[in-house]
Amino acid sequence: MTVNDDSFTNWKIREEIAESMIPLIGKLHRERDVTVLLHSRSLVNKSVVSILKTHRFARQIAGAELSVTETMPFLQALTTLDLGPSQIDLGMLATMYKADERGLSVEEFTAEAVAGATGANKIERREPRDVVLYGFGRIGRLVARLLIEKAGSGNGLRLRAIVVRGGGAQDIVKRASLLRRDSIHGQFQGTITVDEDSGTIVANGNAIKVIYADDPTSVDYTEYGIRDAILIDNTGKWRDREGLSRHLRPGIEKVVLTAPGKGDVPNIVHGVNHDTVKPEERILSCASCTTNAIVPPLKAMDDEYGVLRGHVETVHSFTNDQNLLDNYHKSDRRGRSAALNMVITETGAASAVAKALPDLKAKISGSSIRVPVPDVSIAILNLQLARETTREEVHDYLREVSLTSPLKRQIDFITAPDAVSSDFIGSRHASIVDAGALKVDGDNAILYLWYDNEFGYSCQVVRVVQHVSGVEYPTFPATAV
């Protein structure tokens, strides 16, 4: 048998194993609210090839490919346990099992590692929490996709309604079409139908009422059967407490803003300061996409090396706030054609760091350049550290952070030598460290951080909503804080 024959036979074996994993993953998700991960990447609703590619990606980070032949026994062991709602990382299980020297079987090790999600320790399944989207633009539609995707067994977040200004003929049909097809993020994964008579979009079985209103104070959500909902304002029209309080109508319990909050509105970056949200807080902000991209790695670097000062330069994709062609704009330069120019503009991300990382004493400055790409940006974080280090040390440290730290859902790591911006469309991490571009000289470190400023940020928003709604389930095996 030739090498080619061996490779093909090996592929077919792994393909068959991955295929057999799909119903096990799906059943755990639907029946027990268990999300199966691989190095923080969800395997729920993934194809055979996607599962194999996710396993192969581990090679870029951990240095060795993780095979489905290694993870399948752990998945099978999970199906035998009395699991409660949780997230379980097969990659972490396999890695930790290799390092364990006690001679335990896979079944024994798995039961011990996920004990916090079984028996008397398991979380009881909760009633679904209603969610309302106020606005249905770029972020609103991506958040909608994520909420529908995560509906799972129906015991998590449930998108009940979207609120938009009245449009013209076939308004609801056109909005459903924009949810169904996206020029950047592709087709919606599932089915969408429209009931124009009832003003409802049905996406993967989720009935979503379309409410038309020009002012938040004109809506009584209880009229639509909505109770204790979390409203996500993705219009950015109101950013202070007074303005956002307009959303606190009958049926709405909390308001989450998808833009930097002003005044005393807490700016929350999931993974960094989400645990500071007080239960009684009814209004909060998810900060900006750039703040979410730089704060987690900034915290990681400050924790290990200390940061004395820094500057962030963001090279940012253009947004709807800019003009397609030259025209009047209230802001300097943003009136010039977004599709034809690099545009110097301001960013509030640096000043927002203080809200998310109040213990960071370093002064962080920032500026931004908008460039003619529709999605994915890069933040160049130039840091003066409190001690000298080497490129190899920082490289290995950030790789380990992306794999095993509490920030592994926020920080990704890539070593691909030819990676470019479009490769990160659809990334669910807040930022991705480009290992090849990393520069370290003594006490100076320059990090290049890619981020999908639309989808990655939307994932962070949903994580915050899950947290404040009480449906953010613990991850096992647990990582040390």
Side-chain angles (χ1 to χ4, degrees):
M1 184 176 286
T2 67
V3 172
N4 286 340
D5 288 337
D6 284 341
S7 297
F8 186 68
T9 299
N10 180 263
W11 168 263
K12 299 303 289 183
I13 291 171
R14 289 186 291 134
E15 191 176 45
E16 183 178 1
I17 293 172
E19 191 173 68
S20 66
M21 295 175 87
I22 292 174
L24 302 182
I25 294 168
K27 189 172 183 179
L28 284 169
H29 187 58
R30 287 191 306 275
E31 296 183 1
R32 306 190 198 178
D33 277 353
V34 174
T35 300
V36 178
L37 311 172
L38 189 84
H39 286 316
S40 76
R41 289 167 167 77
S42 174
L43 297 182
V44 176
N45 291 330
K46 294 296 187 290
S47 67
V48 168
V49 172
S50 292
I51 290 173
L52 292 173
K53 287 180 69 175
T54 303
H55 277 74
R56 185 168 177 77
F57 183 82
R59 185 181 65 163
Q60 292 191 39
I61 307 176
E65 183 171 348
L66 187 63
S67 173
V68 288
T69 59
E70 297 175 80
T71 58
M72 182 57 161
F74 294 97
L75 179 60
Q76 291 171 323
L78 291 175
T79 64
T80 68
L81 299 174
D82 180 27
L83 292 167
S86 56
Q87 300 185 104
I88 300 179
D89 196 315
L90 295 181
M92 290 293 293
L93 280 172
T95 301
M96 292 171 65
Y97 182 67
K98 283 182 181 179
D100 191 87
E101 299 178 347
R102 293 175 293 166
L104 300 177
S105 67
V106 166
E107 292 76 15
E108 290 170 332
F109 180 84
T110 302
E112 179 183 275
V114 303
T118 61
N121 296 321
K122 70 179 183 181
I123 298 172
E124 292 302 318
R125 297 170 74 176
R126 299 181 174 91
E127 289 296 314
R129 186 68 178 268
D130 290 352
V131 179
V132 173
L133 289 175
Y134 198 95
F136 206 49
R138 297 298 302 155
I139 299 302
R141 292 195 296 274
L142 291 178
V143 169
R145 285 188 174 200
L146 286 164
L147 291 171
I148 294 163
E149 171 196 298
K150 294 178 181 297
S153 63
N155 290 78
L157 301 174
R158 182 173 61 172
L159 178 58
R160 296 292 309 281
I162 61 173
V163 185
V164 293
R165 291 192 298 269
Q170 291 196 304
D171 179 273
I172 190 172
V173 173
K174 292 179 179 179
R175 294 187 190 278
S177 182
L178 285 170
L179 178 63
R180 184 181 291 115
R181 304 175 184 87
D182 191 281
S183 301
I184 297 169
H185 300 283
Q187 296 278 343
F188 174 80
Q189 297 300 303
T191 62
I192 294 175
T193 57
V194 175
D195 185 336
E196 290 189 78
D197 292 336
S198 65
T200 304
I201 297 172
V202 181
N204 289 359
N206 294 267
I208 307 162
K209 177 69 176 178
V210 179
I211 301 171
Y212 293 99
D214 295 325
D215 190 301
T217 60
S218 66
V219 186
D220 181 342
Y221 294 94
T222 60
E223 293 180 359
Y224 305 95
I226 296 170
R227 300 284 188 278
D228 300 322
I230 297 177
L231 182 144
I232 305 173
D233 183 331
N234 56 90
T235 67
K237 184 175 181 180
W238 303 278
R239 292 170 58 186
D240 59 12
R241 188 172 295 274
E242 181 182 0
L244 293 169
S245 294
R246 296 159 66 90
H247 289 302
L248 294 174
R249 301 285 299 155
I252 302 299
E253 175 62 26
K254 294 179 184 291
V255 178
V256 175
L257 171 67
T258 64
K262 294 182 177 180
D264 66 342
V265 174
N267 280 257
I268 304 303
V269 174
H270 190 275
V272 175
N273 67 337
H274 65 278
D275 56 355
T276 65
V277 180
K278 297 182 175 71
E280 65 272 15
E281 180 60 71
R282 301 187 69 187
I283 295 174
L284 54 94
S285 156
C286 290
S288 70
C289 56
T290 301
T291 303
N292 277 265
I294 66 172
V295 165
L298 184 57
K299 176 180 175 12
M301 292 297 289
D302 188 51
D303 287 347
E304 180 66 17
Y305 302 102
V307 173
L308 301 181
R309 64 175 301 147
H311 176 81
V312 59
E313 186 77 39
T314 69
V315 182
H316 199 290
S317 59
F318 61 77
T319 68
N320 271 331
D321 177 65
Q322 295 172 256
N323 290 334
L324 185 62
L325 294 172
D326 287 3
N327 206 349
Y328 172 80
H329 194 291
K330 63 181 181 180
S331 298
D332 294 341
R333 306 183 200 250
R334 290 198 187 192
R336 303 298 300 278
S337 171
L340 297 174
N341 296 290
M342 293 189 290
V343 179
I344 298 173
T345 187
E346 71 282 348
T347 176
S351 58
V353 168
K355 279 193 169 186
L357 278 177
D359 293 336
L360 181 71
K361 305 306 179 186
K363 175 178 172 56
I364 306 295
S365 58
S367 52
S368 179
I369 302 173
R370 297 286 180 92
V371 294
V373 294
D375 187 31
V376 180
S377 305
I378 190 167
I380 305 167
L381 192 56
N382 193 331
L383 303 175
Q384 182 186 352
L385 307 176
R387 67 175 176 88
E388 293 193 354
T389 183
T390 65
R391 184 185 185 280
E392 291 73 21
E393 183 186 345
V394 175
H395 176 282
D396 292 347
Y397 169 66
L398 290 174
R399 179 178 63 187
E400 190 64 24
V401 165
S402 74
L403 277 173
T404 63
S405 83
L407 290 170
K408 64 183 180 180
R409 295 172 72 193
Q410 282 70 45
I411 301 176
D412 204 1
F413 188 90
I414 190 166
T415 59
D418 56 354
V420 294
S421 61
S422 61
D423 296 327
F424 305 102
I425 293 174
S427 169
R428 293 176 182 242
H429 287 77
S431 64
I432 306 100
V433 176
D434 192 315
L438 174 67
K439 293 176 172 55
V440 179
D441 183 9
D443 64 353
N444 177 242
I446 304 175
L447 279 57
Y448 287 74
L449 308 167
W450 297 101
Y451 58 109
D452 184 330
N453 48 277
E454 293 187 335
F455 196 73
Y457 175 68
S458 296
C459 289
Q460 283 286 91
V461 171
V462 171
R463 289 173 190 138
V464 170
V465 174
Q466 287 177 315
H467 177 72
V468 299
S469 65
V471 296
E472 182 182 35
Y473 300 134
T475 301
F476 299 95
T479 54
V481 179

